[in-house]
Amino acid sequence: PAQIRAAYGLPALPASTTGLTAAQAAQLGAGQTIYIVNARHNPNVVAELAAFNAKFGLPTCSSRTLTASSALPLAAASSSGCELVVAYSAGNALSSTAPAYDSGWATEIALDVQWAHATAPLARLVLIEAPDAGVASLTGAVSLANRMGAGVVSMSFGANEGSWTASYDSVFSGAGMSYVAATGDNGAAVSWPSVSTKVLAVGGTTLSYTGSGARSETTWSGTGGGVSAYTALPSYQSGSIGGYARRAVADVAFNADPNSGQYVATIAPGTTAPRWISAGGTSLSTPQW
């Protein structure tokens, strides 16, 4: 985290978050909410985040799990401390039942939570676990985030675009909400939801930086992106370089090359010791944006 913060010019983490001014706390995400939408269930997400924080000297987070009877919208986020809130979605409603475990999605959840926290260590993180990876379930989870209150929705998932994508655009219209999504990791291709004109599309780079001296950042060869075959050109891209006829992605980019990847703590069900992996992909770049 310290290397990534230095590479991108983010404020250095203080030795202690006690006694910060309101402006200093705000620079670290205090008072803000990041909604992390994923599928399936990670039963060890709290323990994994604790291991990550201990390893890299990040602020600790309190944690709680919502139930079907929890009141929405959520109360305002803390102005001084981190909280991890776990929610299970059933459409756009809360559920008291956790989705089924899936090892791949559990790793994605660990990655998203840990690196959103590393970037905004005093922000409230709300992990919303959808019951499956279907478009209806994932958009239902986004709709649930809209009901929870203003914030930023991070989406490290994608499906090949098609004529169907426009029918889901209305979910990205919550009051006080921003939406960011990964462009994919399979080279030139356009995926939803990043192609939506209401979503910030996050691509990937290869970053080289030792912590001092020269810094190099180039396009990662695996990053998704291209020109949509279906989505009309948004006004904010009119007249941009290329003269494209339709929506172009990505909009922004961040370190994503697995060869310049970043550490993630994972804990397998039934165990307690963290296993450290180096992860990459635009699903790494997205939660940091």
Side-chain angles (χ1 to χ4, degrees):
Q3 290 176 312
I4 292 296
R5 296 186 74 85
Y8 287 100
L10 299 173
L13 289 176
S16 171
T17 56
T18 302
L20 297 178
T21 67
Q24 289 171 327
Q27 281 190 318
L28 300 177
Q32 302 297 320
T33 298
I34 302 171
Y35 298 101
I36 297 170
V37 173
N38 273 302
R40 301 300 185 182
H41 180 52
N42 180 342
N44 289 321
V45 63
V46 173
E48 290 166 342
L49 180 59
F52 186 80
N53 291 341
K55 181 72 171 178
F56 295 113
L58 293 166
T60 58
C61 302
S62 63
S63 63
R64 61 190 173 107
T65 300
L66 303 181
T67 67
S69 60
S70 297
L72 299 180
L74 300 175
S78 170
S79 61
S80 60
C82 167
E83 181 185 28
L84 172 60
V85 180
V86 179
Y88 313 133
S89 71
N92 69 346
L94 288 167
S95 171
S96 297
T97 303
Y101 169 76
D102 178 271
S103 60
W105 280 103
T107 300
E108 180 63 55
I109 289 168
L111 182 161
D112 290 357
V113 167
Q114 290 166 37
W115 281 97
H117 177 60
T119 309
L122 294 183
R124 175 171 62 189
L125 307 178
V126 179
L127 169 64
I128 303 178
E129 296 180 336
D132 58 65
V135 171
S137 291
L138 290 168
T139 53
V142 174
S143 182
L144 177 59
N146 293 341
R147 295 181 57 206
M148 290 182 171
V152 181
V153 179
S154 175
M155 299 175 287
S156 290
F157 56 82
N160 292 333
E161 72 162 346
S163 58
W164 57 272
T165 57
S167 63
Y168 289 95
D169 247 16
S170 61
V171 77
F172 306 122
S173 302
M177 304 294 281
S178 298
Y179 306 89
V180 297
T183 60
D185 306 330
N186 298 309
V190 178
S191 66
W192 173 93
S194 67
V195 71
S196 170
T197 60
K198 300 179 179 181
V199 172
L200 183 74
V202 184
T205 67
T206 299
L207 174 68
S208 177
Y209 184 67
T210 64
S212 63
R215 174 191 183 282
S216 170
E217 190 169 21
T218 59
T219 301
W220 172 44
S221 60
T223 188
V227 180
S228 174
Y230 303 93
T231 303
L233 185 73
S235 60
Y236 56 79
Q237 287 188 337
S238 177
S240 62
I241 295 174
Y244 301 122
R246 295 185 178 88
R247 163 83 158 124
V249 294
D251 299 310
V252 295
F254 203 91
N255 181 45
D257 186 341
N259 293 314
S260 59
Q262 297 164 219
Y263 285 118
V264 175
T266 63
I267 300 176
T271 67
T272 57
R275 172 178 173 262
W276 294 92
I277 64 173
S278 180
T282 55
S283 58
L284 172 65
S285 55
T286 296
Q288 292 174 96
W289 269 98

